[in-house]
Structure formats: structure tokens, C-alpha cells
Amino acid sequence: MSDISRAIDALLEARSRQLPAVERESARWMALGEQLDELSAILADLRMHITLDPELAGSLTLPQLPEIRADVAETADSFRMIATRFTRATVNLGVSGAARMGKSTLLQSVSGLDDQQIPTGDGIPVTAIRSRIFHSPTVLRAELEMHSPESFLAEVIAPLHTALSLPAPPRSLEQFADWSYPESSEQTRSRLLLTRLRELQSALPSYKHLLTGGVKSVPLEEIRPYVAYPTDEEIRAAGPGGVRRAYAAVREARIECPFPHEHVARIGIVDLPGLGEVTADAEQRHVDGLRNEVDAVLVVKRSSETSSFFDETDASGMALLDRVRGFVRSTGEFTYVVHNIDPDKPHLAENLRGDLLRSLNGGEADRFFTVFETDVRDSERVGRDVLTPLLKRLADGLPVMDAEVLAGTRGRAGAVRDRIRLHLADLQRALNLVARRAGVPEEVNDAKADQLRSGVAKRLRVLVADLAAEANGSTDPGYAQAVENAYEGVLDWIGDGFGRGADVWRELALTRMITEGHPADFAGPEFNRIRVEISRRFAALDDFFTDRLTDAWDRTAEAIAAECGALFAESADGEEASGQVVLKRLAKLFGESSQPCPGLAAAVHSLLDVRLEYRTLLYPRVRPDLAPLNLQVTHPDTGEEMQQVAVPLTEGGAEELYGIFNGLAEQAAFRIQKSLLREAAVPAAVVHALVEQFEDTLIRSGTSVQEFRRFVRSYRNDLWPEEFHGINEANSRFARVVGVSKEIAALAEQGEEEL
């Protein structure tokens, strides 16, 4: 690899490292544009709101917002174009110049292609579309980006209509085919454009089937009709049906082939239709074809018998290239002139050489523009005289040009940022005025919050008093019935041979006693099983506890909802929500309000997290009643451990053992029933304590007053829509204006220091 090739590789690698930062900058400015659009919309919305008086509404404007928005879009596009520049895997050379200067011949000498791929011609324009040509040591391929019917009409036919001042262009190919165009025009340029238009219309059947969009692959030897105008010979030979104009269906061609020169592994060439051609938008097409697609441009100029000087067409072309180079400070670093000399006519070359020296460089060689002299027909000379010195120059100069482009774009972006900052400051002053004269006064909000808190406190106090009376009253009939049902269930289970049937139980006991030689081997495990099962069956009281807790939630939720206006007026499905659902929603509202209320949310969560269970609430109190259901018991008189079953190993012994177990189990169940009935006040007392603690935390915690006020600020429109809907809606829009303004300011202030 040569030094030039290594330098170009290093340049492209440096570009790729800068790409992420440039892409982020482009995305930031695009986001800024979207924020400005949102700001414009919500300002307009806020100005129209019924609660805002006309004087205040008139102050909420940004008169220069459309201009700023356009500047932001242009800035985002500038960074996007730099990203495109830094994304390229090649250094691209544009080849420009007026028709018949040798531009296509130079391209042939650089690329190694011939007239079938890069057509040349004498006396007439040949190149019809832009081609991009890239070096590839292994691939020979032509890819054609085809027009769709829509893009053909918009990009080819519409500009011709505009240039000719014709009516609005056709909207379909059928309309174009049937369009009636004038026969001729008095003005020469218009006459030529009209001829082009009529040629495209008459030849439509020859390329209509190619207007497919997408990419079409074509062998290199067949590409000429797709990139070149037809020759005079082809036009004459076409006959009545007219010549094919396949090029009309092509937007752009990409060609890959091996270049016959060194240093070209990362080089691309952009071939443009010649300057000076009569087309509807020649200048703009030329600029669009070069801008950000090329890193440098070669302008080909050839002397002839009729023109050996730098003429008006050449000057216009150089002026166009000034538009293309953008922030690159030195024109001569971006634009180079190729003096195409004819060795057989040295006097013509000498004439043009002198004119280029005077016209372009003020009499000093290469002062402003570097001029390469070569015979473009000679590939070896082109490599030696043009490519090698040009690529060496670019290897050194392109990093400088990249830095200038980036610095210029950032400078323009800074100016846009300053304008945004200035006008946002104006808007902020207007917003401050609106904030002082509009909205809900804080004292009104605080009064409503205090009213809500007091109303909830009164209702919860009544509920707590009712629960206290229930806890201090007579036995809850529901609780007594639940205990009785559990007791009856245990007796039924005992009567059914402890869930096995009496006969089966006795047979099993006899078999185990005979097998093991002692009743203890059966009695011990069976006592354990019966004891556990009796306890489990009394745990059916959990259904009662669940009902009592659900009732407490319902009554608590009802007390709160009654003071919350429309907030809980109707559930999402139109059905009345349970107390648990209401309380969960209340906790979520507390937690997610725009001004969070963690203390109030925690109070509700604590109430909802409670579980009333037989296992934790009453089982410890009845556990002693199960003690006799053990193989080893304590003698009531001596205090010694004793085994309470001793029966013979016979059927009679098994029957006796069954009676012992029955009696002990029924006695235990009876004792548990009595113990539970003595605890009848416990569930009500627990529920009373829970709700009392909730009421105390919700109403009298250290942050209660502040958090109720926050809650009302966040949801007053939902609590009392008739009172606050209009004002609250305006305030929300006002807050959104402020929020978006701050977001815009933050985005505008950001910067990519790494660039």
C-alpha cells in the first residue's frame, strides 16, 4: 500500500470516529424542531382558552417562531449532511464541466470503462443522468436506481412544466401520455425545453415499463441506453416508432469496476450531466448532484478552434461550485481545473493556458486554483498528471476541509441557539405575567384541601366510633355461627372414624398393634394427625375474618369517597367498585400525583396490607385445648409424664382404643369451641384498631395538611370538575408551555464538545 493510500485510509477512519457525535448533534436539532412545533401548538391552544383574557393571550406569542423553526430544520439538515459525508467509505471526486470538454473521456481514463458505460460524443451532450463510479478489484456491476411513476412525474416532468410556464403537471402517466403540448415556442431556450418534453412524451411506451422504482441490475456492456441520450444515428434509424429513451426512467447509476491506477482503492467518482446543457433545472441539478456527495471537484476545460478562453459558461459553473463547497474556506482546496490538451494542437493549449493563468489565478500559477494539464485520452498520463498529485493534495487537505465544514456548521448552529435563547427569554417574561394574573390562587386551593381533609376526618371519626361500639357490644352472631359451623364440621369428621370410617379405623389400629406388638406405634402418629386436622378445620373461620376485613375496607372507602366529589363517582366499567379497589386507586393517586403524597399513600397501603387469620389471631389462644391429643400427657396429680393408652392387642382392644380417641377428640373440639366463643370480641376489636390507626395516620400525621394540599393541586379538576375544569385545564396548558420552553432551552444549550 502506498503512502497516499494509507493517508486516505487514515482520513476515512478519522471521519468514522467523528460520526456518532455528528449524528447525535443532528438528532438533537431534529428533536429541538419537534419541541418548537409542540410549543407553537400549545401556545395557540392556550391563547384560545376561555379563562385567559385577551390582553394576556396576546402576550403569549413568538412572532419569529416560523423563521426560527426553519433555521433549526436547516441546522439539523446541515449536521445530517455532515453525517452523510463522514459515513462514506470513499473519497469522492466530482467531475464537472461544460459539454464537449472531455469530461466523459477523463472518466473513461480514470475508471477503465469505455463508451458503452461512459458514452462520449462530438458536438452534442451525451451524459443524461448522474453516475457514481467506484473502484472494485473483483466486481463488475451496474446498479440503476429507477424512477417510480410518481418520482418521474415530480422530478422530471414537473420542472419542465414550471420552466415552460405550463399548467399544473400531469398526475398520472396516462395524463402525461394524453397531454396536449404546444408545437413550438418563440424563445430559443423554451423551444429546446419543449422539444425535450415532447420527446419524453412520444417515447413513453419505450420506458414506461421501467418506471418501477427500486434498483435494476444491468450488465456493464448494456448500460449505455440507460445513462446516455440517443445518438443522431440511433434517432434516424429508429423510424416511425421513435427512439427508445430508457435513460428517462433512471434516477442514478452506480457502477463498480477495477480502476487501472494505484492509490484508488478508496476512491469514488461522481459523473454529472455537463454544465451548459439546456434542462429545466440544470443549475440546481448540478448543485444537488455535488453537495455533500463529493470531497473535491475536477472541472474539465478544453481549448478549441472557437474557444480557447474561460467563458461565461465556465464562470457560471465555478460560481455553482462555490455554492457546493459551503464552509470550506479555500476554493482552491475544493475545486481543481483539468486543462485537457491536444498534443497535436499545441497553440490552442498555449492560448487556454495563458487565459487560465490570467482569469483564474491573477497571473500567478496555482495562486487560487490548481490547474492539472493532461491529455484526458491517455489513461497513463491522467494517472500521473492528475490522480496522483490530486490524491496527495487531498490526503493532506481533506482533514482541514472537514474541520472547516464542521466548525462553520457549529458556528451557524450557535447563532440559531442564541436566537432561540433570546426569544425564549421574551416568552418567559410573558409567562411570568400570565402566572401572576391567571390561574387558581393558592389560598383557594388550600381552603379546598382543608375542607376535604376535615370532611374525611369527620366521616372516619364516625366510622371509628361505630366500630368501637361493635367491639364493645355483645357477641357477634356471625362470629358465633362461624364457630358453631366449624365445631359441627369437626364432630362430623370425628364421627366418620376420623375421616376413615369407624370399621376401617379399628381394623387399621388392630393390624398395627399386632404387627408392632404395642398400641403406641399406632396411637402416637394418629394423635398427631387428629390434632392437626381439628386445628385445620377450625381455620375455616378465615372466611369470616375475610368478610369482616372486606366490610371494614368498604366502609372506610365509602367514608372517603363521599368527600371526594366526582373522583370515585363511577368505575371504569360502570359498576360500583369494591372498597378494596377504591382504596388501591386512592393509594395510586396519592403516589402518582404531580406533587407526591407519600405519607397518605403509606397510610392506605398499611390498611390494605392487613390480614386477619385464625392461624395468627386465635390459634395461639386455643393451642392448650389440643394438648390432651398426645400419646404422652402430664398426670394432673403427680405432674409426671404418662402414656394415656394401654389396651390389649385384640379386637376388643381396638374398639376400646377407638372409644378413647373419640372421647379425647370430642372433648378437645368442645374446649376449642368454648375458647373461641370467649374471644368473640377479638375480630371486632382488631378491625376497630386497624381503622382507628388508619384514621390517625391519614388525618393527623406530621405531613397530612401539606400532602392533602398537594393532592388537591394535582386532582382538583377530577374532584370538583364543575368548579375547576376550565381553570385547571388552562393551568395544565400553561404548565406545559413552561415545561416545553424549559426543554427547548435545555436542548439548545447542549453541545457536543467532542466535535
Side-chain angles (χ1 to χ4, degrees):
M1 179 184 291
S2 68
D3 290 342
I4 294 176
S5 296
R6 280 192 290 270
I8 290 174
D9 284 348
L11 160 69
L12 295 172
E13 176 62 27
R15 281 180 167 180
S16 68
R17 289 194 297 270
Q18 294 186 82
L19 179 60
V22 174
E23 289 178 331
R24 285 194 295 273
E25 193 73 357
S26 178
R28 182 171 72 87
W29 283 92
M30 289 178 64
L32 186 59
E34 293 172 358
Q35 294 281 38
L36 286 171
D37 290 341
E38 183 178 0
L39 178 63
S40 177
I42 59 178
L43 276 175
D45 194 33
L46 182 57
R47 286 195 299 269
M48 295 296 293
H49 201 273
I50 59 174
T51 63
L52 207 62
D53 66 60
E55 182 182 351
L56 287 176
S59 67
L60 294 177
T61 59
L62 281 177
Q64 296 190 36
L65 186 58
E67 296 176 28
I68 295 174
R69 181 65 183 90
D71 289 342
V72 168
E74 182 179 349
T75 303
D77 193 54
S78 296
F79 281 110
R80 182 192 60 77
M81 288 193 294
I82 295 175
T84 300
R85 179 188 183 98
F86 287 178
T87 300
R88 291 201 309 268
T90 56
V91 171
N92 287 356
L93 307 176
V95 181
S96 181
R100 301 171 295 282
M101 290 291 108
K103 176 174 65 71
S104 296
T105 304
L106 174 64
L107 288 168
Q108 289 182 0
S109 293
V110 172
S111 66
L113 299 173
D114 57 29
D115 266 16
Q116 288 303 312
Q117 296 89 39
I118 305 177
T120 61
D122 293 327
I124 60 171
V126 176
T127 306
I129 65 163
R130 179 174 68 169
S131 296
R132 292 186 296 162
I133 310 167
F134 297 93
H135 168 73
S136 172
T138 58
V139 177
L140 284 168
R141 177 169 56 203
E143 295 178 355
L144 305 178
E145 182 184 347
M146 310 303 292
H147 274 298
S148 65
E150 293 76 18
S151 68
F152 169 74
L153 293 170
E155 298 175 20
V156 179
I157 302 305
L160 286 167
H161 270 244
T162 301
L164 290 165
S165 300
L166 294 174
R171 304 182 66 176
S172 68
L173 294 178
E174 291 71 24
Q175 286 184 4
F176 175 53
D178 296 336
W179 201 277
S180 178
Y181 289 108
E183 290 295 330
S184 185
S185 173
E186 294 182 0
Q187 296 181 351
T188 302
R189 184 175 186 276
S190 296
R191 186 164 60 251
L192 293 173
L193 290 177
L194 186 59
T195 299
R196 289 283 176 88
L197 185 56
R198 293 176 63 84
E199 287 173 348
L200 290 172
Q201 184 187 45
S202 62
L204 180 60
S206 72
Y207 62 84
K208 181 178 179 180
H209 65 287
L210 298 173
L211 297 171
T212 58
V215 175
K216 178 181 178 65
S217 181
V218 176
L220 283 181
E221 60 272 15
E222 299 177 12
I223 194 176
R224 190 184 195 284
Y226 295 97
V227 298
Y229 296 115
T231 65
D232 285 339
E233 291 79 10
E234 289 172 332
I235 294 173
R236 287 195 297 269
V243 70
R244 294 178 66 246
R245 296 185 183 272
Y247 67 85
V250 182
R251 298 185 74 180
E252 180 179 279
R254 177 189 173 94
I255 299 173
E256 294 180 80
C257 62
F259 290 2
H261 300 282
E262 61 177 345
H263 318 312
V264 295
R266 306 289 291 275
I267 299 301
I269 305 171
V270 180
D271 176 21
L272 294 167
L275 289 172
E277 292 186 42
V278 181
T279 57
D281 51 356
E283 290 190 358
Q284 192 59 45
R285 287 177 62 196
H286 208 77
V287 171
D288 291 344
L290 291 174
R291 177 173 289 158
N292 228 48
E293 286 284 339
V294 298
D295 298 292
V297 178
L298 292 171
V299 179
V300 183
K301 178 66 176 175
R302 180 179 66 180
S303 58
S304 67
E305 298 289 351
T306 58
S307 176
S308 292
F309 58 92
F310 205 71
D311 59 21
E312 182 63 30
T313 299
D314 300 317
S316 297
M318 298 297 274
L320 286 179
L321 295 180
D322 266 350
R323 290 165 54 187
V324 173
R325 69 183 171 89
F327 290 113
V328 175
R329 296 193 184 107
S330 172
T331 304
E333 291 293 335
F334 179 75
T335 305
Y336 300 82
V337 176
V338 176
H339 179 188
N340 179 16
I341 61 175
D342 185 347
D344 297 330
K345 300 178 180 180
H347 64 288
L348 296 179
E350 184 62 30
N351 291 338
L352 181 57
R353 185 181 299 118
D355 190 66
L356 292 175
L357 181 66
R358 293 186 298 274
S359 301
L360 287 183
N361 287 316
E364 182 181 334
D366 297 338
R367 179 182 180 186
F368 302 115
F369 295 94
T370 298
V371 179
F372 300 119
E373 284 195 0
T374 193
D375 181 358
V376 299
R377 298 169 298 182
D378 187 333
S379 178
E380 183 178 347
R381 285 197 60 181
V382 167
R384 182 180 66 250
D385 299 340
V386 179
L387 277 183
T388 297
L390 173 64
L391 294 179
K392 186 177 186 305
R393 181 85 168 267
L394 291 178
D396 296 330
L398 271 181
V400 177
M401 286 192 279
D402 286 346
E404 290 173 347
V405 169
L406 196 51
T409 303
R410 292 195 69 191
R412 179 175 293 174
V416 176
R417 182 174 58 248
D418 291 343
R419 288 188 66 197
I420 292 173
R421 184 188 300 117
L422 175 65
H423 290 282
L424 284 180
D426 293 340
L427 178 61
Q428 187 60 55
R429 284 190 288 272
L431 291 174
N432 292 339
L433 178 62
V434 171
R436 290 193 298 270
R437 296 173 55 185
V440 179
E442 199 62 28
E443 59 269 21
V444 173
N445 185 91
D446 292 349
K448 295 297 288 187
D450 294 344
Q451 173 188 329
L452 174 63
R453 178 170 171 268
S454 297
V456 171
K458 290 176 183 178
R459 290 182 183 273
L460 288 179
R461 177 47 48 193
V462 171
L463 174 59
V464 169
D466 291 344
L467 292 174
E470 293 171 11
N472 296 325
S474 59
T475 301
D476 184 340
Y479 175 75
Q481 186 61 52
V483 172
E484 184 64 27
N485 291 342
Y487 175 60
E488 293 295 334
V490 171
L491 293 182
D492 290 343
W493 177 76
I494 293 171
D496 186 34
F498 306 104
R500 290 174 170 166
D503 293 339
V504 173
W505 194 94
R506 287 190 291 267
E507 181 63 28
L508 179 60
L510 179 60
T511 300
R512 290 287 300 279
M513 287 191 300
I514 293 174
T515 300
E516 303 298 336
H518 196 280
D521 291 303
F522 171 77
E526 188 67 2
F527 271 128
N528 293 339
R529 185 179 75 87
I530 292 171
R531 188 174 63 252
V532 170
E533 182 62 21
I534 290 175
S535 179
R536 188 190 69 78
R537 287 178 175 268
F538 273 106
L541 287 171
D542 282 349
D543 292 340
F544 166 79
F545 294 141
T546 298
D547 290 343
R548 287 299 176 266
L549 185 57
T550 298
D551 178 68
W553 286 338
D554 289 344
R555 294 161 76 179
T556 302
E558 182 181 2
I560 295 173
E563 293 295 324
C564 287
L567 190 60
F568 301 107
E570 187 176 346
S571 63
D573 56 7
E575 298 180 0
E576 185 176 353
S578 68
Q580 185 181 28
V581 169
V582 170
L583 291 173
K584 283 182 177 179
R585 184 183 170 202
L586 180 63
K588 185 176 182 181
L589 291 171
F590 282 147
E592 296 181 356
S593 72
S594 59
Q595 299 179 359
C597 311
L600 302 183
V604 181
H605 282 306
S606 295
L607 180 62
L608 290 171
D609 286 344
V610 170
R611 296 291 180 270
L612 296 184
E613 298 174 330
Y614 165 80
R615 178 174 59 85
T616 56
L617 194 62
L618 296 177
Y619 181 64
R621 307 193 185 195
V622 302
R623 177 65 188 178
D625 296 328
L626 292 169
L629 289 175
N630 281 285
L631 181 62
Q632 295 290 119
V633 295
T634 302
H635 192 282
D637 298 327
T638 65
E640 297 180 354
E641 291 293 318
M642 57 175 285
Q643 186 171 300
Q644 62 175 331
V645 291
V647 296
L649 308 181
T650 63
E651 289 185 5
E655 179 68 35
E656 182 182 352
L657 186 63
Y658 181 68
I660 293 172
F661 268 79
N662 252 302
L664 290 173
E666 288 180 354
Q667 292 169 21
F670 179 76
R671 288 193 297 272
I672 291 173
Q673 178 201 31
K674 295 303 180 185
S675 295
L676 290 176
L677 289 175
R678 286 194 297 271
E679 302 294 337
V682 171
V686 170
V687 168
H688 166 256
L690 289 174
V691 177
E692 186 176 42
Q693 174 64 23
F694 168 73
E695 180 254 355
D696 205 27
T697 304
L698 190 76
I699 302 302
R700 283 174 287 280
S701 67
T703 60
S704 176
V705 172
Q706 180 185 26
E707 291 189 16
F708 264 96
R709 292 177 177 180
R710 292 177 180 176
F711 180 70
V712 168
R713 289 191 198 102
S714 300
Y715 299 107
R716 59 179 170 238
N717 188 51
D718 302 290
L719 289 160
W720 306 287
E722 295 300 323
E723 296 181 50
F724 288 102
H725 178 75
I727 296 175
N728 199 65
E729 183 182 3
N731 279 352
S732 297
R733 296 177 185 182
F734 175 81
R736 187 62 188 140
V737 171
V738 174
V740 172
S741 299
K742 291 180 178 178
E743 292 170 10
I744 291 172
L747 271 174
E749 290 300 325
Q750 290 175 11
E752 292 289 350
E753 295 299 331
E754 60 203 278
L755 290 179

